[in-house]
Amino acid sequence: TRAELNAALAELPRDARAALALAAEGFSGAEIAACIGRTELATRTLICRARLRLRTSLEGAEGVP
């Protein structure tokens, strides 16, 4: 549900939430990196880890192993 998604997003650090939001809007890794003040490689790693954390949180909320 939307509430579960919002709760899972709230658990992420601010820069990770911002990076995910920008990626969802179609911004490139380089553009996101410039916005959050990281290198492109660090930003891509941040996004990957944030997606994994978000997925794990949402799976736990649904009771899926």
Side-chain angles (χ1 to χ4, degrees):
T1 66
R2 185 174 294 258
E4 291 169 338
L5 176 59
N6 287 336
L9 285 168
E11 294 175 7
L12 297 175
R14 173 184 263 172
D15 57 346
R17 283 193 311 269
L20 283 178
L22 291 170
E25 292 293 324
F27 287 89
S28 71
E31 291 169 323
I32 297 168
C35 287
I36 64 172
R38 293 179 178 241
T39 65
E40 185 174 356
L41 183 58
T43 299
R44 292 173 62 171
T45 300
L46 175 73
I47 292 170
C48 182
R49 290 179 179 164
R51 285 178 176 149
L52 289 172
R53 284 183 62 184
L54 188 62
R55 184 178 302 126
T56 300
S57 293
L58 291 173
E59 287 174 349
E62 296 173 3
V64 176

